Amino acid sequence: MSEPARVAGGHKATINNPNTSKEAKERSKQVLADMKDSGELNVSKDDMKNTGNVIGGKKAAIHNPSVPEETKDRLKHELEEDHVLIPACCRLHWPPSLEIKYRSKHIM
């Protein structure tokens, strides 16, 4: 028996593939709707991801010079909300309000 998440992934790929027929796309949409209605797809996207990899990706993006500053700020806020301890080198250019909030929670 296949894992529901893998089956759903195949149907999502079919829907987004420009080379598949309209009928195949409609069939995949129906299968996904049926899986959702039956509760087979009750696992959220966040549950399927490795938390360590997600945190590492966010930290890497903060250091990437091609990532826009707005995105870096959003990622810093997300890490803060997840209570991830962030090295001081990553906090150098934080807005003062975020730095104060971080220090009040983690540095006493």
Side-chain angles (χ1 to χ4, degrees):
M1 191 68 146
S2 300
E3 293 180 35
R6 292 183 186 269
V7 173
H11 285 290
K12 289 176 184 178
T14 299
I15 292 168
N16 291 306
N17 185 342
N19 297 321
T20 57
S21 68
K22 196 174 196 177
E23 294 81 19
K25 290 181 183 192
E26 289 301 320
R27 169 78 178 126
S28 288
K29 286 179 186 177
Q30 184 59 49
V31 170
L32 285 173
D34 293 344
M35 289 177 78
K36 186 176 180 181
D37 291 343
S38 71
E40 283 185 86
L41 295 181
N42 59 357
V43 178
S44 72
K45 255 187 174 176
D46 292 337
D47 291 340
M48 296 181 350
K49 294 184 179 182
N50 181 320
T51 305
N53 289 351
V54 172
I55 291 170
K58 289 178 180 180
K59 287 181 177 181
I62 290 169
H63 291 288
N64 186 336
S66 64
V67 173
E69 287 303 317
E70 310 85 57
T71 303
K72 290 180 182 183
D73 290 340
R74 180 180 50 81
L75 292 172
K76 290 172 187 175
H77 284 284
E78 288 176 12
L79 288 171
E80 171 62 23
E81 288 173 1
D82 293 339
H83 304 290
V84 175
L85 292 175
I86 304 167
C89 64
C90 298
R91 300 191 319 259
L92 290 177
H93 303 289
W94 279 14
S97 61
L98 185 59
E99 181 65 26
I100 291 168
K101 182 179 173 186
Y102 180 84
R103 286 182 179 276
S104 68
K105 285 186 178 179
H106 299 288
I107 303 170
M108 297 238 160

